[in-house]
Amino acid sequence: MLARINGLDTYYTVEGRGEPVVLLHGWGASSQSLAPLCEALADAFRVLAVDLPGFGWSQDPPAAWGTTEYAGHVERLLQETGIGRAALVGHSFGGRIAISLAARQPALVSRLVLVASAGIRPQRRAGYYVRVAIAKLARRFFSLPGWGAIGERIIATVSGRLGSRDYRAAGPMRPTLVKVVNEDLTPLLPAIQAPTLILWGDQDQEVPRSAMETMADRIPRSRLVVFGGAGHFPFLDAPEKFCGMVKAFLQVGGTA
């Protein structure tokens, strides 16, 4: 389905009947990445899976969006679909949005599941700041008059080689990615009132265990479960165990 939300065409699916559950996908993915979970929950819940702006079949945001803008977009979607209060399941980037919405609008979130969630800004090593400085210097120098198209190609090459995989693939969403990854949501965690289940795979190369432990320590009524042998996508690496755990958590009223 397509809905016009905040002036943007936003694609979403709705499956099943019962208490509403909203699925929020990770960066570079779409609602389809969470299809196995949607299918597992649809026999007991009304499951809404959304393509966040800039991904899947939804329009790009009109400017560089941060977590607050994305959370506001999801809130508006809930209003448009007649959902007053829902459980949220957020994977990685989607976890950022779920944290923001649960902390700022606690009345809208009944339960919260964070899967390998982003949101805790990591400590940067010296090499990171060196790469950033080189990229900024190249951008400043090769943007000077006279370089023209050649300068643009050099800037793109330098940025591509020094940036992360997500940064290289972001295209027009690059300003949004930069804005989002520089946000630290740690101060929001104590404001979350919903019972929270935190799920993480011990082979995750994207999100460190320390970030998950910080969330578990600072979110009231939260519990961390570690999936042995699973990576950044535990719902794909251990689908039966993962889906069963999420479903049980939601069905018992979300007691962490």
Side-chain angles (χ1 to χ4, degrees), residues 3-254:
R4 192 74 173 170
I5 308 295
N6 295 325
L8 300 178
D9 286 338
T10 304
Y11 176 80
Y12 67 96
T13 62
V14 179
E15 303 287 344
R17 300 177 64 181
E19 293 296 314
V21 178
V22 178
L23 308 184
L24 304 173
H25 62 77
W27 184 271
S30 71
S31 57
Q32 288 302 305
S33 68
L34 296 171
L37 180 58
C38 180
E39 182 178 351
L41 296 178
D43 65 342
F45 300 94
R46 180 188 179 197
V47 185
L48 187 153
V50 58
D51 283 355
L52 296 164
F55 305 97
W57 291 342
S58 293
Q59 280 186 279
D60 290 358
W65 274 17
T67 305
T68 300
E69 287 82 6
Y70 273 103
H73 195 82
V74 173
E75 180 182 353
R76 183 66 181 273
L77 177 62
L78 297 183
Q79 295 171 352
E80 292 291 327
T81 53
I83 298 175
R85 181 174 166 88
L88 301 182
V89 180
H91 173 237
S92 195
F93 168 63
R96 288 183 183 271
I97 300 168
I99 288 170
S100 180
L101 186 55
R104 294 188 169 100
Q105 297 289 349
L108 298 180
V109 181
S110 59
R111 285 147 282 170
L112 182 61
V113 181
L114 300 175
V115 185
S117 177
I120 307 297
R121 188 166 56 199
Q123 291 185 342
R124 307 293 193 183
R125 297 182 178 179
Y128 168 83
Y129 294 103
V130 171
R131 293 194 299 272
V132 170
I134 293 173
K136 287 183 176 179
L137 182 62
R139 189 177 301 112
R140 187 177 299 116
F141 180 76
F142 291 108
S143 295
L144 293 173
W147 284 104
I150 294 176
E152 292 178 3
R153 287 198 295 271
I154 293 174
I155 292 171
T157 299
V158 172
S159 297
R161 290 183 177 178
L162 296 178
S164 66
R165 179 180 57 191
D166 283 341
Y167 184 86
R168 293 193 296 271
M173 289 290 289
R174 191 169 290 167
T176 290
L177 176 63
V178 171
K179 185 172 183 178
V180 164
V181 299
N182 282 298
E183 294 177 333
D184 185 5
L185 304 185
T186 304
L188 296 182
L189 300 179
I192 294 175
Q193 299 179 15
T196 302
L197 179 63
I198 303 167
L199 304 176
W200 179 77
D202 66 359
Q203 301 303 306
D204 194 331
Q205 301 299 309
E206 305 293 330
V207 177
R209 181 173 185 141
S210 60
M212 301 295 92
E213 291 174 343
T214 296
M215 290 184 183
D217 181 60
R218 303 201 181 190
I219 298 175
R221 295 196 294 165
S222 67
R223 177 166 61 100
L224 171 62
V225 176
V226 177
F227 285 76
H232 192 55
F233 299 84
F235 48 88
L236 299 180
D237 295 335
E240 289 189 17
K241 180 180 178 182
F242 179 91
C243 292
M245 186 169 293
V246 172
K247 189 173 184 179
F249 173 75
L250 298 176
Q251 284 180 323
V252 299

